[in-house]
Amino acid sequence: MASRKPLGLYFHIPFCRQKCVYCDFYSLPDSESRMDAYAASLRTFLEPADGYTVDTIYFGGGTPSYFGAQRLTDILNRVFQVFRVSPDAEITLEANPDSAVSLEALQLLRSGGFNRISLGMQSADDRELAGLGRIHTMEQTRRAVETARKSGFENLSLDLIYGLPGQSLERWRKNLEAAVQLEPEHLSCYGLKAEPNTPLYSRRHTLPGDDLQADMYLETVRFLEAYGYGQYEISNFARPGKFSRHNWKYWTLGEYIGYGPGAHSDFQGRRWAWDRNLDSWLSGKFVRSEDSCPSRPERQRERVMLGLRTVHGIAAEDLDGGPAPFLPFLERCAEAGYARSSHGRWVLTPEGFLVSNQIIGGLLQILDSQGGSL
C-alpha cells in the first residue's frame, strides 16, 4: 500500500473586532451577523483528499478567537469527519488576548482538538498597543496565557512587533523580557512595516530608521537564544521541538489547502488563492484571484528563496548544474559575515537575514546570466 502524503489545512477567519492600523490582511470588523453563515459555508465546502494525511491545521485571520469557540470546534469536527487526520496533528488557533480569556471557551477548544495557540501579544506596553489600534492590554495577555495553560494548552506561541513608532531599543528589550517571563514555547518577532492603504502608512515617518530596526532584530536573536529559543526562520524562534510545523510547510514547499476568502493553496502541483470577498464566498461564488501551475524552474527558484529564510539554508543539490557558478558570490557573502557553509549547506547568519533580499537577488542574477534554471 502506497504511503500517504502529508497535508496542511488553513482556514481564514476574516472577522475582527477592530482593524489594527498596520494590518493589510483580509479582515472585516463589525461583521458578526455573518459568522454563522460563514461557519456553515466552511463546513460544507470541505472535500476528502485521497492519499493524504492531514498533519497540520491552522486557523488564522482576522481574529479566529473572536469567531467563537463553538463555531471553531464545529468546523474542526467536520475536518475530522472528512479527512484522515494524524493522531499527532498540530492544530493551531490564532487568538487575541481580549477574546481568549474565557476558561470555558479555551477548554472547549482544547477538548475539541486544538492543541496549539498563537496569541497576538504584539507589545507589553499598553501605550504602544493603543498606538497600534490594539484593543487588549498587557494584563489581558497575562490572563490569556494563564487561562490557556489551565485549559491544557502545552504549546503556546506569542507574536511580537518591533520598530513601533518612537520605539527605542531599550523599550523593545523590555517587551522581549516581558514575553519570555510568560514562558511560551514559541515566539514570532516581526519588524513593523507601513503598508500602503493602511492608516499607519501616513505615519511611516515616525517608525525607527533602518539602522535602529536592524539593532532591534539582532538584539532579538541574541536575547532569545540566551533564553533557549533557537532561531529557525528569519522571524521565528522556538524551544527545541516546538517550531511551527504548519508554517514550515510554507517554507519548504509542502502541500496545503486553504479555505475562505484570501486563503492560499499549494496542492498537487497547482497554486491558487481565493478572492478577498466575503460576500461572494457566502453567495457560493468561489472565485480564484490567482491560479497557476508553477514550472520546475519556478519551483526551484522558490526552494532557494524560501530555504535561505531558514536556518537550514540551501544545499548544493538545490542548484542544478552544481554550485560552481554561485560559489564566488556565496564566498563573498561569507567573508562579509552574511553567510556560512556547514555540512554542504549554505546558511545565512542573523546579519545575512537582514539583507536576505539582496543576497537572494544576487543569486538570481547569477542564475539569469547562466541562462539556466535552479
Side-chain angles (χ1 to χ4, degrees):
M1 181 177 179
S3 60
R4 302 176 70 91
K5 299 178 182 178
L7 178 67
L9 302 181
Y10 173 81
F11 292 90
H12 190 70
I13 309 299
F15 305 102
C16 56
R17 283 204 173 108
Q18 178 175 296
K19 191 88 168 176
C20 299
V21 300
Y22 57 87
C23 180
D24 70 339
F25 291 110
Y26 183 62
S27 59
L28 305 166
D30 303 320
S31 299
E32 191 170 359
S33 62
R34 293 184 280 181
M35 287 184 179
D36 285 338
Y38 185 62
S41 75
L42 291 176
R43 294 196 303 271
T44 58
F45 193 74
L46 301 178
E47 295 182 350
D50 293 336
Y52 288 84
T53 296
V54 172
D55 61 348
T56 68
I57 305 171
Y58 197 104
F59 285 73
T63 310
S65 54
Y66 178 49
F67 195 48
Q70 190 61 61
R71 295 186 185 95
L72 292 165
T73 53
D74 286 347
I75 294 169
L76 186 57
N77 183 59
R78 182 59 181 162
V79 169
F80 292 145
Q81 294 172 357
V82 172
F83 295 91
R84 181 189 291 258
V85 180
S86 172
D88 67 344
E90 176 194 86
I91 306 176
T92 302
L93 172 74
E94 285 186 352
N96 276 1
D98 60 283
S99 55
V101 293
S102 164
L103 180 62
E104 181 182 9
L106 287 173
Q107 287 177 332
L108 177 60
L109 291 165
R110 185 68 189 91
S111 63
F114 288 90
N115 53 33
R116 184 175 184 270
I117 189 166
S118 178
L119 283 172
M121 173 180 169
Q122 314 307 4
S123 172
D125 187 313
D126 288 349
R127 293 167 299 176
E128 290 182 344
L129 290 170
L132 292 174
R134 305 290 294 180
I135 54 176
H136 74 272
T137 64
M138 181 56 192
E139 179 55 33
Q140 286 178 306
T141 297
R142 293 190 185 94
R143 290 205 304 268
V145 170
E146 180 181 355
T147 308
R149 296 305 195 191
K150 287 181 179 178
S151 304
F153 282 92
E154 298 178 352
N155 196 353
L156 185 145
S157 178
L158 296 176
D159 280 4
L160 291 172
I161 304 177
Y162 62 87
L164 308 187
Q167 190 178 54
S168 66
L169 180 60
E170 180 58 31
R171 280 169 58 188
W172 168 240
R173 189 180 293 112
K174 288 182 178 179
N175 284 342
L176 288 171
E177 290 171 352
V180 298
Q181 286 175 5
L182 296 175
E183 299 185 326
E185 282 69 36
H186 185 280
L187 283 154
S188 296
C189 300
Y190 303 104
L192 182 61
K193 294 182 179 179
E195 301 288 355
N197 303 317
T198 65
L200 180 65
Y201 193 71
S202 63
R203 294 193 283 129
R204 60 190 182 278
H205 63 279
T206 65
L207 303 185
D210 291 343
D211 288 345
L212 180 52
Q213 284 224 24
D215 289 341
M216 291 177 175
Y217 176 76
L218 294 175
E219 173 65 9
T220 302
V221 176
R222 182 202 65 77
F223 184 93
L224 293 181
E225 183 176 3
Y227 279 88
Y229 295 93
Q231 183 180 26
Y232 69 97
E233 191 269 346
I234 287 180
S235 303
N236 287 274
F237 308 80
R239 287 179 171 167
K242 295 298 185 180
F243 66 96
S244 171
R245 289 162 49 193
H246 184 82
N247 286 340
W248 192 252
K249 291 183 183 292
Y250 302 151
W251 301 319
T252 57
L253 297 181
E255 291 185 279
Y256 58 92
I257 301 175
Y259 300 92
H264 290 249
S265 300
D266 194 341
F267 182 60
Q268 295 186 334
R270 180 173 292 276
R271 179 173 290 161
W272 70 89
W274 298 112
D275 189 35
R276 292 163 59 125
N277 188 321
L278 178 61
D279 291 331
S280 175
W281 180 276
L282 291 178
S283 69
K285 298 176 182 178
F286 305 117
V287 179
R288 297 187 181 190
S289 59
E290 302 173 26
D291 196 343
S292 66
C293 293
S295 65
R296 182 179 181 279
E298 289 172 328
R299 290 289 190 182
Q300 291 285 41
R301 281 173 172 260
E302 292 170 355
R303 185 168 288 109
V304 170
M305 289 188 288
L306 293 171
L308 286 175
R309 289 181 57 93
T310 75
V311 295
H312 285 260
I314 57 174
E317 54 264 31
D318 291 329
L319 306 172
D320 280 359
F326 306 90
L327 281 179
F329 177 79
L330 290 170
E331 287 169 353
R332 288 197 300 272
C333 290
E335 291 171 1
Y338 295 146
R340 59 183 175 84
S341 177
S342 176
H343 304 291
R345 304 189 70 87
W346 282 91
V347 180
L348 298 188
T349 64
E351 290 79 7
F353 282 142
L354 284 170
V355 292
S356 59
N357 288 340
Q358 293 93 316
I359 293 174
I360 292 168
L363 287 172
L364 296 183
Q365 282 184 353
I366 297 169
L367 167 67
D368 293 339
S369 71
Q370 297 294 311
S373 64
L374 292 177

